[in-house]
């Protein structure tokens, strides 16, 4: 089944779900031709914004090596519940992918909202060939540990330490 064109998705969303044109456009961009994904994005926009805020804060603290702030942040994340923690890690993984696509100048392959794109334009240079696979592996490992009922404070603090090391890693030259 071919993807729906943006115009059809836009019309349907504006008629039935939303009257905010900017949010609809963000949902269309993220959906990549899938109406159900666009609908889900619109319905969960506040949660996505919270995850974006957590991602931005987490990465900034990791870059600046602010361990005390990261420790406080792990406390906040630990109180979210396992399912939301797994959703957050899935969001982190998606953002690593999107930032890498921006870094290698493949913007046509990104599915970012305006707010995500705004942050990613500045942040994407830190996600490169030298660390993207290791970052993805560390986030996936944290996901597995959360799924196995590991201690979220330890898991997210370990993830933070690994991200600190990986963000400082130099880009490999081709």
């Amino acid at each position: 089944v071919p993807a729906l064109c943006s115009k059809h998705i836009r019309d349907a969303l504006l008629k039935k779900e939303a009257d905010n044109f900017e949010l609809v456009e963000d949902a269309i961009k993220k959906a990549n031709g899938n109406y159900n994904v666009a609908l889900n994005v619109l319905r969960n926009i506040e949660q996505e914004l919270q995850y974006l805020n957590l991602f931005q804060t987490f990465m900034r603290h990791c870059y600046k090596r602010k361990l005390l702030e990261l420790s406080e942040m792990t406390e906040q994340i630990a109180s979210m519940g396992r399912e939301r923690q797994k959703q957050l890690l899935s969001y982190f993984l998606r953002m690593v992918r999107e930032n890498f696509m921006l870094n290698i100048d493949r913007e046509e392959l990104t599915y970012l909202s305006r707010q995500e794109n705004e942050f990613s334009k500045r942040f994407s240079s830190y996600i490169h060939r030298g660390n993207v696979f290791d970052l993805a592996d560390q986030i996936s490992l944290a996901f597995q540990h959360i799924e196995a009922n590991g201690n979220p404070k330890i898991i997210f603090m370990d993830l933070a330490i690994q991200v600190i090391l990986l963000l400082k890693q130099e880009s490999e030259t081709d």
Side-chain angles (χ1 to χ4, degrees):
V1 177
L4 295 172
C5 76
S6 298
K7 181 187 179 319
H8 290 108
I9 296 174
R10 183 180 303 106
D11 293 344
L13 291 176
L14 287 172
K15 282 181 188 172
K16 294 183 179 182
E17 293 297 325
D19 54 359
N20 186 326
F21 189 75
E22 288 180 2
L23 292 179
V24 168
E25 288 302 313
D26 283 348
I28 291 169
K29 175 78 172 148
K30 284 181 161 183
N32 193 28
N34 186 327
Y35 175 76
N36 288 327
V37 171
L39 191 58
N40 194 32
V41 167
L42 270 181
R43 289 181 178 164
N44 296 314
I45 194 72
E46 288 175 18
Q47 189 172 15
E48 289 271 324
L49 290 174
Q50 180 189 16
Y51 291 163
L52 171 62
N53 184 39
L54 287 169
F55 179 77
Q56 290 172 334
T57 305
F58 187 82
M59 291 301 169
R60 286 177 178 145
H61 289 335
C62 285
Y63 181 77
K64 294 178 181 177
R65 299 179 182 204
K66 292 185 171 186
L67 293 176
L68 182 61
E69 288 83 351
L70 284 164
S71 178
E72 292 168 0
M73 193 171 184
T74 59
E75 295 281 338
Q76 175 191 0
I77 293 170
S79 69
M80 291 171 60
R82 296 216 181 267
E83 287 307 311
R84 296 224 23 236
Q85 290 165 3
K86 291 188 321 188
Q87 291 171 357
L88 177 64
L89 288 167
S90 294
Y91 183 84
F92 278 24
L93 193 57
R94 184 179 76 79
M95 288 300 290
V96 166
R97 182 241 181 241
E98 301 299 337
N99 278 273
F100 181 64
M101 289 295 121
L102 283 176
N103 185 315
I104 62 171
D105 294 324
R106 299 302 302 260
E107 193 165 347
E108 71 276 7
L109 298 176
T110 62
Y111 308 102
L112 295 166
S113 69
R114 251 184 306 289
Q115 294 98 336
E116 291 169 339
N117 197 34
E118 218 171 273
F119 172 74
S120 295
K121 291 247 185 231
R122 295 182 304 274
F123 178 71
S124 63
S125 63
Y126 298 101
I127 309 296
H128 47 75
R129 285 180 175 89
N131 66 8
V132 67
F133 297 114
D134 291 332
L135 281 167
D137 287 345
Q138 289 301 320
I139 295 168
S140 296
L141 184 62
F143 185 96
Q144 291 171 3
H145 289 162
I146 291 293
E147 206 167 44
N149 291 325
N151 183 323
K153 292 177 191 175
I154 294 171
I155 294 166
F156 278 92
M157 196 63 200
D158 180 59
L159 177 61
I161 292 166
Q162 296 303 319
V163 170
I164 287 169
L165 296 173
L166 291 168
L167 287 180
K168 295 295 182 173
Q169 194 171 330
E170 293 296 319
S171 177
E172 293 178 359
T173 55
D174 295 1

